[in-house]
Amino acid sequence: MKAPTTSQSSSSNNDTGDHSNDLDSDPIFHLRSRTAAAGTLQRPQIQYESLDYDVCENKLFHAEQRKRLRDRFSLRIHVIRWIIFILIGIITALNACFVNIVIDLLSEQKYKFLKASVEQNVPVNGGDGDLALPYLWWLLLSVVPVAVGATMVTYIEPITAGSGIPQVKCYLNGVKVPRIVRIKTMAVKTIGVITTVVGGLAGGKEGPMIHAGAVVAAGISQGKSTTFVKDFRIFKAFRDDHEKRDFVLGGGAAGVAAAFGAPIGGMLFSLEEAASFWNQNLIWRTLIASIISSFTLNIVLSAYKGLENFTFTGLFNLGKFKEPLTFAYFELPIFMLFGVAGGLLGATWNALNTLINKVRRRFVPWKLGKVAEAVVISIIGVTLATIMIYFIDDCRPLDKERISYPVQLFCEDNEYNAVAALWFQTPEATVRALFHDEEGAHNIRTVGYFTLVYYFLACATFGLNVSLGVFIPTALVGAAWGRLVAMQFLDWFPDAHFLNPGKYALIGAAAHLGGVLRMTISLSVILMETTGAETSFFFPLIIALISAKWVGDYFNEGIYDMVIEESHAPILPWEPVPQYKGLTALEILSKPVVCIKLRDSAHYIYEVLLRCDHNGFPVVDDVKDNRRCEGRVCGIILRSQLIVILLKSLYVENKRFWLPETSIQTFREVYPRYPSIKSVRPLDRKENYTVDLSMFMNPSPVRVNNHDSVPKIFNIFRALGLRHMLVISNENRIAGIITRRDFIYK
Amino acid sequence: MKAPTTSQSSSSNNDTGDHSNDLDSDPIFHLRSRTAAAGTLQRPQIQYESLDYDVCENKLFHAEQRKRLRDRFSLRIHVIRWIIFILIGIITALNACFVNIVIDLLSEQKYKFLKASVEQNVPVNGGDGDLALPYLWWLLLSVVPVAVGATMVTYIEPITAGSGIPQVKCYLNGVKVPRIVRIKTMAVKTIGVITTVVGGLAGGKEGPMIHAGAVVAAGISQGKSTTFVKDFRIFKAFRDDHEKRDFVLGGGAAGVAAAFGAPIGGMLFSLEEAASFWNQNLIWRTLIASIISSFTLNIVLSAYKGLENFTFTGLFNLGKFKEPLTFAYFELPIFMLFGVAGGLLGATWNALNTLINKVRRRFVPWKLGKVAEAVVISIIGVTLATIMIYFIDDCRPLDKERISYPVQLFCEDNEYNAVAALWFQTPEATVRALFHDEEGAHNIRTVGYFTLVYYFLACATFGLNVSLGVFIPTALVGAAWGRLVAMQFLDWFPDAHFLNPGKYALIGAAAHLGGVLRMTISLSVILMETTGAETSFFFPLIIALISAKWVGDYFNEGIYDMVIEESHAPILPWEPVPQYKGLTALEILSKPVVCIKLRDSAHYIYEVLLRCDHNGFPVVDDVKDNRRCEGRVCGIILRSQLIVILLKSLYVENKRFWLPETSIQTFREVYPRYPSIKSVRPLDRKENYTVDLSMFMNPSPVRVNNHDSVPKIFNIFRALGLRHMLVISNENRIAGIITRRDFIYK
């Protein structure tokens, strides 16, 4: 029943006595227990800082506000904001187009070559050929791209591993994930996902596209790039965490829209999964970004595929169902059972995947090993596929329109090998096949083995050090077992015409997705938009998804949340957890707090910054005997602001020079990567410069009373998106400080 | 640049001197300027109180929490909450079914009778008949139901006038609209809407259904009814404003789902228009309520209409398009122009309607006049329709399947009068006709006159003292002009095959709805779900809607917001208005504040309650010289709690008796209609009972500093759904109080 920080908050309480001998020159403070002194061991959490959603309304801010009121600035800001959202939509879509087209072209070359190789080595008409050479070619064409991708990810930018959605989710929750929204990250991710998908690993390109959308949004809205060390000097007004987070939200939605061609789905995805803070205008802008994004994607892809009339029929990534999907009431329990199965399979998958990744982290910590691992999984995949193709004898009459790369292999003329057809294409194309192939296009045994192999393959793949998403493999496994069940029952009851295998493949995909990802509303809308299903089919989809989610939630969390948990990011839940009940602020706060006086010596500030790495310092006045940590609260100041103050020498003694020159721009210029305290020239102890913080500090930090209950202050912290929350006594004296990490309950 | 309250806050500042002569016995307080002393003139706003979204976490609450932790209460609460949401969905749908079926049956009787009357009086085959008698019958059959409906609304429950959506919106924003969620209100509204629609007024049944959903939600979740003075003694744990508001949100969504057969639309409606506070679990429950609601509606209506196999094909209220709607890129500018036209027409409509209603309120204040007015509008409608039918000669070949009540009138055999066909049905059926009739089914002149008449008729109707919604007439006008434009252009350019009149009727309806209601996302989803349109057609709809909204927003607000503004309800905007810029809490707060000491005399409390009608009183200690208004804040207590304390004599002197008996249930029992202070027996002045508030008060009210900026405190107020916000000085002494009304800027 104790929050995690209490165990740490007992330190350095014993040096309260030796205050009065040092007067204003030497830093006198207690280390807040939670945060290590600078230079000591970095714990896993320490890499995550919070974003600052709370606007610092200091005097400089008000001065700028007054200026803006005069020159109709606020209308201009609005228009620019809209333009940025539109740009985000367009550029995200163009990136998605690039990924799509390159993957298309490379996959085409790869599978054409493999088909030719098979045909060359296995003589047509029942000859007793050998698959050894095609197998080796296949291995080569899979291992090389995978190795390239894994090397890039491992050595250039490790943050690009995986889908990217967990990281974006953390970011939108308010956790600053380092390097997550850089252009370099996006470049590595884009190439990484292309190589991975072309290499044939069990992964999709959707997650990385969503991540790319977020990067685009962060990049454009800031008008500068850290990777290229280039500042375009535009959009300066948007350089704070608050604005940036809104843009990233739009970027995520645009990414979903581009990945699936699902604008409403994109908006709902942002809403359901990502956004912590929400209002009507934000919904609006997010929707516009998604619409623009899916529209751009559509135009470009239509042009690429040579459709002349540009008739907008939607971009059905997973193929449009030829006939409207209908269902009868008695099927509802079946959908529910599918959901339950999806929940069980999904929960197992999540648990297994987490276990595999734990083992992986423990036994393969070195970099080369991680690349080798990806290569091994790739080899296993190709080998299993080859074994299936070799040993399962499943020949089907050839239908040239449907199968991209039909391989005759050991089949008769005008037949093709159905097993090879499942493997000789991207996973996305396989999902399409499972949804839309007519009854009897597949063999129960083939699909059965395929499901089994792919389930474990996907499980071993997600978590490798490569860029890839989990959506498509999950949908693929779900579609496979959904279709399998329908085929099996149709085999037993040939009169049950409602058992349309395509329909049940879709339901299976929904159930399995629900079981693994635990999203419901946005997933069902995405599935509807991406298959062009009727709005009435929303009902079966949501039934399957909800059943899956409920069953799955009984066992564990969604895969994204499990990844986040493994990364120890201090993500805040939606609602206060039950363990908070009965606790008060006093029991979770960190104290004593390192405070700074309203007018304090520059030297003290310098020493504080050097000796502890907190990011926010309460500003106090009415300090007796230099005991700052018992002062009366009058504001809060951030580490970054203090560094700027020291760097620019904004001392009281220099006052007559800096007043007209200083504005909020001085602080904004260095956002978001503030220089470290080490870049400040050490101050001579004898120069007794003074800093007056009244102009720079945030004079209205959120304060709560030390007896307020934790569920209540959690709600405030969550709703306002805070970084620091000051706990005060009844006399408005500082009692402690609460940050994101104090709420994390293990 | 001054907030409205500052003009009022200067009063009674001059009596600060005469404090010290009264000691603890006589009430010594300043009237907070904003609120009148009890018994004085009631200003229009005074009828609105705020809801209390902030949970009062006093000691009794914590005692209950501890009890709940022990007996696994919280799981039970969760399950019950889900059950209530499901019940809300079912009952809302049943109510909607009742309304639908009764309107269907009565309209059928009415129009059958009228058709027979026309056929009797106008001899078939070109005879020169007379429409006088049918006209009189029509008048009678319209005026009687309208008069009944208007009488009920006016004399029994005036709050039921109009659509109900503005009131629900206010409620969800946190404004307590009196009598809005009572069963009596729902009964009057249900009968009112049936009579109005059967009477043929230009109104729809959708708005009232949404309102009904909200009432159902409030009623069920509280397990008691004020109308029937019946307490079922269930669901007691949900008796607070916080829980009730969540349920009402679900009820609104269920209402939309039932009215339009649009579950996603329902959820999005709640999200876009109504909800002020939002989290993932609430999205969930809301969605479930909508799904259950549309599902129930579907089953019941399928059974009623005698569909045997219950094949779920969706409930397309506005008819499913036979062929998938497609569009080409060059049509996008056309959709945009439609949107612009819709925005202009909608803004004009809103302005005109508001003007009419202002005139109406000014010149027809008495009740009988309001009923007469409804009758007059009804007569005008019937008369205009008869004139159109009589003078426009528009005969069409008969197609029995399509036209419900074909009237031959002056036409040839096997022909019918197309004008009469437009009028001889409910508005909803006319919308269906405009959407789905094939090319050439209508005459340009007929539709033109019809559009014109209906535009102004609808404008005069909305605002009458009858229960009816604005959605259907708006959609009807939009569909009419949309179809008209397409017909006209098809006449000029017969080769432009893309000009499908049904499609453009849908776009027109969307544009006009966007112009009048200014909702975008939920409306487009509702239109898609209710017409079974393809997901890809979302794009044209949203383009039309967004253009309409942008154009319309340039001139005025949406009709619901205008109605709310006219009602002077203190609704909070989504974001801080620009006028707040530069203001601090000091400039908008109300002071001096009537405070109560932590241990205060019962007599003082009684006098305070009697003499002023504030709803929240800061609790202070460290009071010097009895100057409570300068005390140190330690909590806040509500008027209702104080009344309960006095009623139950919870005095310190009685302490040994009441401690085990008192729990949070004592306070919850009387929710939500607390007795007035008048029901408390006046206390004898000599009995000096003391009340100790430490157990009852909310010890953690939200406090802000008196120099905090108004945009910032607005965000806190809005995000946390507060009722009272205490403004404190740096020494934690009370400086003022801010309520919802202090933020309203005129």
PDB file of all heavy atoms in Angstrom, chain A residues 24 37 86 116 192 197 223 264 275 283 306-307 322 356 384 391 511-512 514-515 546 578 626 640 658 717 734 743:
ATOM      1  N   ASP A  24      23.818  32.116   1.918  1.00  0.00           N
ATOM      2  CA  ASP A  24      23.500  32.613   0.591  1.00  0.00           C
ATOM      3  C   ASP A  24      24.609  32.393  -0.432  1.00  0.00           C
ATOM      4  O   ASP A  24      24.466  32.754  -1.592  1.00  0.00           O
ATOM      5  CB  ASP A  24      23.182  34.121   0.671  1.00  0.00           C
ATOM      6  CG  ASP A  24      22.142  34.476  -0.370  1.00  0.00           C
ATOM      7  OD1 ASP A  24      21.301  33.592  -0.651  1.00  0.00           O
ATOM      8  OD2 ASP A  24      22.173  35.587  -0.893  1.00  0.00           O
ATOM      9  N   ALA A  37      21.591  12.494  -7.826  1.00  0.00           N
ATOM     10  CA  ALA A  37      22.462  13.635  -8.075  1.00  0.00           C
ATOM     11  C   ALA A  37      23.111  13.427  -9.435  1.00  0.00           C
ATOM     12  O   ALA A  37      23.328  12.294  -9.862  1.00  0.00           O
ATOM     13  CB  ALA A  37      23.514  13.726  -6.993  1.00  0.00           C
ATOM     14  N   ILE A  86      -2.436  20.722 -42.410  1.00  0.00           N
ATOM     15  CA  ILE A  86      -2.616  20.250 -43.787  1.00  0.00           C
ATOM     16  C   ILE A  86      -1.301  19.712 -44.338  1.00  0.00           C
ATOM     17  O   ILE A  86      -1.245  18.646 -44.956  1.00  0.00           O
ATOM     18  CB  ILE A  86      -3.185  21.384 -44.655  1.00  0.00           C
ATOM     19  CG1 ILE A  86      -4.639  21.645 -44.249  1.00  0.00           C
ATOM     20  CG2 ILE A  86      -3.102  21.040 -46.137  1.00  0.00           C
ATOM     21  CD1 ILE A  86      -5.258  22.857 -44.865  1.00  0.00           C
ATOM     22  N   ALA A 116      10.905 -17.585 -61.134  1.00  0.00           N
ATOM     23  CA  ALA A 116      11.719 -18.023 -62.269  1.00  0.00           C
ATOM     24  C   ALA A 116      12.691 -19.106 -61.828  1.00  0.00           C
ATOM     25  O   ALA A 116      12.878 -20.126 -62.508  1.00  0.00           O
ATOM     26  CB  ALA A 116      12.469 -16.829 -62.849  1.00  0.00           C
ATOM     27  N   GLY A 192      14.305   1.005 -42.703  1.00  0.00           N
ATOM     28  CA  GLY A 192      14.193  -0.214 -41.917  1.00  0.00           C
ATOM     29  C   GLY A 192      12.942  -0.994 -42.252  1.00  0.00           C
ATOM     30  O   GLY A 192      12.971  -2.215 -42.420  1.00  0.00           O
ATOM     31  N   VAL A 197      10.073  -5.607 -44.630  1.00  0.00           N
ATOM     32  CA  VAL A 197       8.930  -6.174 -45.342  1.00  0.00           C
ATOM     33  C   VAL A 197       9.407  -6.888 -46.603  1.00  0.00           C
ATOM     34  O   VAL A 197       8.957  -7.999 -46.914  1.00  0.00           O
ATOM     35  CB  VAL A 197       7.894  -5.083 -45.670  1.00  0.00           C
ATOM     36  CG1 VAL A 197       6.779  -5.644 -46.535  1.00  0.00           C
ATOM     37  CG2 VAL A 197       7.315  -4.515 -44.396  1.00  0.00           C
ATOM     38  N   GLY A 223       9.648  23.842 -37.457  1.00  0.00           N
ATOM     39  CA  GLY A 223      10.383  24.631 -38.441  1.00  0.00           C
ATOM     40  C   GLY A 223      11.882  24.512 -38.280  1.00  0.00           C
ATOM     41  O   GLY A 223      12.632  25.390 -38.669  1.00  0.00           O
ATOM     42  N   ILE A 264     -11.505   8.319 -40.737  1.00  0.00           N
ATOM     43  CA  ILE A 264     -12.213   8.321 -39.450  1.00  0.00           C
ATOM     44  C   ILE A 264     -11.471   7.431 -38.472  1.00  0.00           C
ATOM     45  O   ILE A 264     -11.330   7.735 -37.300  1.00  0.00           O
ATOM     46  CB  ILE A 264     -13.660   7.822 -39.551  1.00  0.00           C
ATOM     47  CG1 ILE A 264     -14.331   8.333 -40.821  1.00  0.00           C
ATOM     48  CG2 ILE A 264     -14.467   8.264 -38.353  1.00  0.00           C
ATOM     49  CD1 ILE A 264     -15.763   7.898 -40.934  1.00  0.00           C
ATOM     50  N   ALA A 275      -4.581  10.056 -27.203  1.00  0.00           N
ATOM     51  CA  ALA A 275      -4.722  11.387 -26.643  1.00  0.00           C
ATOM     52  C   ALA A 275      -5.035  11.332 -25.170  1.00  0.00           C
ATOM     53  O   ALA A 275      -5.843  10.549 -24.718  1.00  0.00           O
ATOM     54  CB  ALA A 275      -5.820  12.136 -27.358  1.00  0.00           C
ATOM     55  N   ILE A 283      -9.972  17.809 -32.136  1.00  0.00           N
ATOM     56  CA  ILE A 283     -10.650  16.770 -32.918  1.00  0.00           C
ATOM     57  C   ILE A 283     -10.691  17.196 -34.374  1.00  0.00           C
ATOM     58  O   ILE A 283     -10.362  16.460 -35.285  1.00  0.00           O
ATOM     59  CB  ILE A 283     -12.105  16.564 -32.437  1.00  0.00           C
ATOM     60  CG1 ILE A 283     -12.144  16.107 -30.998  1.00  0.00           C
ATOM     61  CG2 ILE A 283     -12.814  15.550 -33.319  1.00  0.00           C
ATOM     62  CD1 ILE A 283     -13.535  15.794 -30.529  1.00  0.00           C
ATOM     63  N   GLY A 306      -1.810   3.928 -62.402  1.00  0.00           N
ATOM     64  CA  GLY A 306      -2.266   4.205 -63.750  1.00  0.00           C
ATOM     65  C   GLY A 306      -3.771   4.225 -63.921  1.00  0.00           C
ATOM     66  O   GLY A 306      -4.290   3.946 -64.993  1.00  0.00           O
ATOM     67  N   LEU A 307      -4.495   4.539 -62.866  1.00  0.00           N
ATOM     68  CA  LEU A 307      -5.935   4.694 -63.032  1.00  0.00           C
ATOM     69  C   LEU A 307      -6.157   6.068 -63.648  1.00  0.00           C
ATOM     70  O   LEU A 307      -5.767   7.081 -63.073  1.00  0.00           O
ATOM     71  CB  LEU A 307      -6.639   4.598 -61.683  1.00  0.00           C
ATOM     72  CG  LEU A 307      -6.332   3.318 -60.908  1.00  0.00           C
ATOM     73  CD1 LEU A 307      -7.016   3.359 -59.550  1.00  0.00           C
ATOM     74  CD2 LEU A 307      -6.790   2.107 -61.686  1.00  0.00           C
ATOM     75  N   LYS A 322     -16.574  -8.033 -52.530  1.00  0.00           N
ATOM     76  CA  LYS A 322     -17.369  -7.888 -53.741  1.00  0.00           C
ATOM     77  C   LYS A 322     -18.859  -7.768 -53.415  1.00  0.00           C
ATOM     78  O   LYS A 322     -19.557  -6.930 -53.940  1.00  0.00           O
ATOM     79  CB  LYS A 322     -17.114  -9.078 -54.676  1.00  0.00           C
ATOM     80  CG  LYS A 322     -15.955  -8.854 -55.631  1.00  0.00           C
ATOM     81  CD  LYS A 322     -15.407 -10.171 -56.126  1.00  0.00           C
ATOM     82  CE  LYS A 322     -14.107 -10.480 -55.412  1.00  0.00           C
ATOM     83  NZ  LYS A 322     -13.740 -11.882 -55.425  1.00  0.00           N
ATOM     84  N   ILE A 356       9.523 -14.119 -24.674  1.00  0.00           N
ATOM     85  CA  ILE A 356      10.608 -14.239 -25.647  1.00  0.00           C
ATOM     86  C   ILE A 356      11.516 -13.021 -25.582  1.00  0.00           C
ATOM     87  O   ILE A 356      12.741 -13.123 -25.576  1.00  0.00           O
ATOM     88  CB  ILE A 356      10.039 -14.408 -27.074  1.00  0.00           C
ATOM     89  CG1 ILE A 356       9.358 -15.761 -27.209  1.00  0.00           C
ATOM     90  CG2 ILE A 356      11.135 -14.258 -28.116  1.00  0.00           C
ATOM     91  CD1 ILE A 356       8.698 -15.964 -28.554  1.00  0.00           C
ATOM     92  N   LEU A 384      11.001 -22.883 -42.810  1.00  0.00           N
ATOM     93  CA  LEU A 384       9.693 -23.474 -42.538  1.00  0.00           C
ATOM     94  C   LEU A 384       8.803 -23.393 -43.772  1.00  0.00           C
ATOM     95  O   LEU A 384       8.099 -24.345 -44.125  1.00  0.00           O
ATOM     96  CB  LEU A 384       9.022 -22.756 -41.352  1.00  0.00           C
ATOM     97  CG  LEU A 384       9.605 -23.090 -39.977  1.00  0.00           C
ATOM     98  CD1 LEU A 384       8.950 -22.226 -38.912  1.00  0.00           C
ATOM     99  CD2 LEU A 384       9.377 -24.576 -39.667  1.00  0.00           C
ATOM    100  N   PHE A 391       6.580 -30.302 -48.732  1.00  0.00           N
ATOM    101  CA  PHE A 391       5.923 -31.505 -48.246  1.00  0.00           C
ATOM    102  C   PHE A 391       4.411 -31.499 -48.404  1.00  0.00           C
ATOM    103  O   PHE A 391       3.797 -32.554 -48.433  1.00  0.00           O
ATOM    104  CB  PHE A 391       6.287 -31.751 -46.779  1.00  0.00           C
ATOM    105  CG  PHE A 391       7.670 -32.277 -46.616  1.00  0.00           C
ATOM    106  CD1 PHE A 391       8.713 -31.477 -46.195  1.00  0.00           C
ATOM    107  CD2 PHE A 391       7.932 -33.609 -46.936  1.00  0.00           C
ATOM    108  CE1 PHE A 391       9.987 -31.979 -46.075  1.00  0.00           C
ATOM    109  CE2 PHE A 391       9.208 -34.104 -46.811  1.00  0.00           C
ATOM    110  CZ  PHE A 391      10.242 -33.294 -46.380  1.00  0.00           C
ATOM    111  N   ALA A 511     -11.148 -10.414 -34.277  1.00  0.00           N
ATOM    112  CA  ALA A 511     -11.039 -11.024 -32.956  1.00  0.00           C
ATOM    113  C   ALA A 511      -9.579 -11.114 -32.517  1.00  0.00           C
ATOM    114  O   ALA A 511      -9.233 -10.778 -31.387  1.00  0.00           O
ATOM    115  CB  ALA A 511     -11.667 -12.413 -32.967  1.00  0.00           C
ATOM    116  N   HIS A 512      -8.729 -11.527 -33.450  1.00  0.00           N
ATOM    117  CA  HIS A 512      -7.327 -11.684 -33.077  1.00  0.00           C
ATOM    118  C   HIS A 512      -6.673 -10.323 -32.811  1.00  0.00           C
ATOM    119  O   HIS A 512      -5.902 -10.171 -31.860  1.00  0.00           O
ATOM    120  CB  HIS A 512      -6.583 -12.433 -34.180  1.00  0.00           C
ATOM    121  CG  HIS A 512      -5.338 -13.103 -33.696  1.00  0.00           C
ATOM    122  ND1 HIS A 512      -5.355 -14.193 -32.865  1.00  0.00           N
ATOM    123  CD2 HIS A 512      -4.030 -12.833 -33.901  1.00  0.00           C
ATOM    124  CE1 HIS A 512      -4.121 -14.562 -32.588  1.00  0.00           C
ATOM    125  NE2 HIS A 512      -3.290 -13.748 -33.203  1.00  0.00           N
ATOM    126  N   GLY A 514      -8.238  -7.724 -31.753  1.00  0.00           N
ATOM    127  CA  GLY A 514      -8.763  -7.304 -30.452  1.00  0.00           C
ATOM    128  C   GLY A 514      -8.012  -7.977 -29.320  1.00  0.00           C
ATOM    129  O   GLY A 514      -7.719  -7.362 -28.291  1.00  0.00           O
ATOM    130  N   GLY A 515      -7.701  -9.259 -29.517  1.00  0.00           N
ATOM    131  CA  GLY A 515      -7.010 -10.009 -28.470  1.00  0.00           C
ATOM    132  C   GLY A 515      -5.587  -9.531 -28.252  1.00  0.00           C
ATOM    133  O   GLY A 515      -5.089  -9.527 -27.137  1.00  0.00           O
ATOM    134  N   ILE A 546     -15.020  -6.665 -28.883  1.00  0.00           N
ATOM    135  CA  ILE A 546     -15.259  -6.437 -27.454  1.00  0.00           C
ATOM    136  C   ILE A 546     -15.088  -7.737 -26.685  1.00  0.00           C
ATOM    137  O   ILE A 546     -14.457  -7.765 -25.622  1.00  0.00           O
ATOM    138  CB  ILE A 546     -16.660  -5.832 -27.240  1.00  0.00           C
ATOM    139  CG1 ILE A 546     -16.649  -4.371 -27.674  1.00  0.00           C
ATOM    140  CG2 ILE A 546     -17.079  -5.948 -25.787  1.00  0.00           C
ATOM    141  CD1 ILE A 546     -17.941  -3.655 -27.457  1.00  0.00           C
ATOM    142  N   PRO A 578      -6.690   1.533  -8.237  1.00  0.00           N
ATOM    143  CA  PRO A 578      -7.326   1.279  -6.944  1.00  0.00           C
ATOM    144  C   PRO A 578      -6.364   1.451  -5.764  1.00  0.00           C
ATOM    145  O   PRO A 578      -6.790   1.810  -4.671  1.00  0.00           O
ATOM    146  CB  PRO A 578      -7.791  -0.172  -7.042  1.00  0.00           C
ATOM    147  CG  PRO A 578      -7.810  -0.493  -8.484  1.00  0.00           C
ATOM    148  CD  PRO A 578      -6.849   0.410  -9.166  1.00  0.00           C
ATOM    149  N   ASN A 626      17.817  31.123   5.768  1.00  0.00           N
ATOM    150  CA  ASN A 626      18.286  30.450   4.562  1.00  0.00           C
ATOM    151  C   ASN A 626      17.698  29.042   4.357  1.00  0.00           C
ATOM    152  O   ASN A 626      18.238  28.254   3.610  1.00  0.00           O
ATOM    153  CB  ASN A 626      19.811  30.367   4.585  1.00  0.00           C
ATOM    154  CG  ASN A 626      20.373  30.777   3.251  1.00  0.00           C
ATOM    155  OD1 ASN A 626      19.659  31.406   2.452  1.00  0.00           O
ATOM    156  ND2 ASN A 626      21.605  30.446   2.987  1.00  0.00           N
ATOM    157  N   SER A 640      15.668  24.381 -17.591  1.00  0.00           N
ATOM    158  CA  SER A 640      16.054  24.966 -18.871  1.00  0.00           C
ATOM    159  C   SER A 640      16.053  26.486 -18.802  1.00  0.00           C
ATOM    160  O   SER A 640      16.937  27.142 -19.349  1.00  0.00           O
ATOM    161  CB  SER A 640      15.099  24.496 -19.949  1.00  0.00           C
ATOM    162  OG  SER A 640      13.771  24.781 -19.576  1.00  0.00           O
ATOM    163  N   TRP A 658      19.615  44.526 -20.301  1.00  0.00           N
ATOM    164  CA  TRP A 658      18.909  43.410 -20.913  1.00  0.00           C
ATOM    165  C   TRP A 658      17.404  43.583 -21.025  1.00  0.00           C
ATOM    166  O   TRP A 658      16.745  42.897 -21.780  1.00  0.00           O
ATOM    167  CB  TRP A 658      19.251  42.086 -20.235  1.00  0.00           C
ATOM    168  CG  TRP A 658      18.974  41.996 -18.762  1.00  0.00           C
ATOM    169  CD1 TRP A 658      19.861  42.173 -17.753  1.00  0.00           C
ATOM    170  CD2 TRP A 658      17.742  41.672 -18.159  1.00  0.00           C
ATOM    171  NE1 TRP A 658      19.260  41.990 -16.545  1.00  0.00           N
ATOM    172  CE2 TRP A 658      17.955  41.685 -16.765  1.00  0.00           C
ATOM    173  CE3 TRP A 658      16.467  41.378 -18.651  1.00  0.00           C
ATOM    174  CZ2 TRP A 658      16.940  41.417 -15.859  1.00  0.00           C
ATOM    175  CZ3 TRP A 658      15.463  41.111 -17.752  1.00  0.00           C
ATOM    176  CH2 TRP A 658      15.697  41.134 -16.359  1.00  0.00           C
ATOM    177  N   PHE A 717      -3.647  16.161 -12.100  1.00  0.00           N
ATOM    178  CA  PHE A 717      -2.373  16.010 -12.806  1.00  0.00           C
ATOM    179  C   PHE A 717      -2.607  15.527 -14.227  1.00  0.00           C
ATOM    180  O   PHE A 717      -2.035  16.040 -15.194  1.00  0.00           O
ATOM    181  CB  PHE A 717      -1.512  14.989 -12.038  1.00  0.00           C
ATOM    182  CG  PHE A 717      -0.061  15.003 -12.384  1.00  0.00           C
ATOM    183  CD1 PHE A 717       0.822  15.799 -11.679  1.00  0.00           C
ATOM    184  CD2 PHE A 717       0.436  14.224 -13.410  1.00  0.00           C
ATOM    185  CE1 PHE A 717       2.168  15.809 -11.988  1.00  0.00           C
ATOM    186  CE2 PHE A 717       1.778  14.232 -13.726  1.00  0.00           C
ATOM    187  CZ  PHE A 717       2.652  15.035 -13.014  1.00  0.00           C
ATOM    188  N   ILE A 734       6.069  25.227   1.158  1.00  0.00           N
ATOM    189  CA  ILE A 734       6.311  24.042   0.345  1.00  0.00           C
ATOM    190  C   ILE A 734       6.411  22.794   1.232  1.00  0.00           C
ATOM    191  O   ILE A 734       7.113  22.785   2.228  1.00  0.00           O
ATOM    192  CB  ILE A 734       7.583  24.238  -0.512  1.00  0.00           C
ATOM    193  CG1 ILE A 734       7.764  23.112  -1.507  1.00  0.00           C
ATOM    194  CG2 ILE A 734       8.830  24.392   0.338  1.00  0.00           C
ATOM    195  CD1 ILE A 734       7.110  23.404  -2.803  1.00  0.00           C
ATOM    196  N   PHE A 743       3.464   8.869  -9.270  1.00  0.00           N
ATOM    197  CA  PHE A 743       2.154   8.210  -9.411  1.00  0.00           C
ATOM    198  C   PHE A 743       2.279   6.765  -9.879  1.00  0.00           C
ATOM    199  O   PHE A 743       1.307   6.030  -9.868  1.00  0.00           O
ATOM    200  CB  PHE A 743       1.283   8.953 -10.423  1.00  0.00           C
ATOM    201  CG  PHE A 743       0.725  10.236  -9.904  1.00  0.00           C
ATOM    202  CD1 PHE A 743       1.132  11.443 -10.426  1.00  0.00           C
ATOM    203  CD2 PHE A 743      -0.217  10.236  -8.894  1.00  0.00           C
ATOM    204  CE1 PHE A 743       0.614  12.634  -9.962  1.00  0.00           C
ATOM    205  CE2 PHE A 743      -0.743  11.419  -8.426  1.00  0.00           C
ATOM    206  CZ  PHE A 743      -0.326  12.617  -8.954  1.00  0.00           C
TER     207      PHE A 743
END
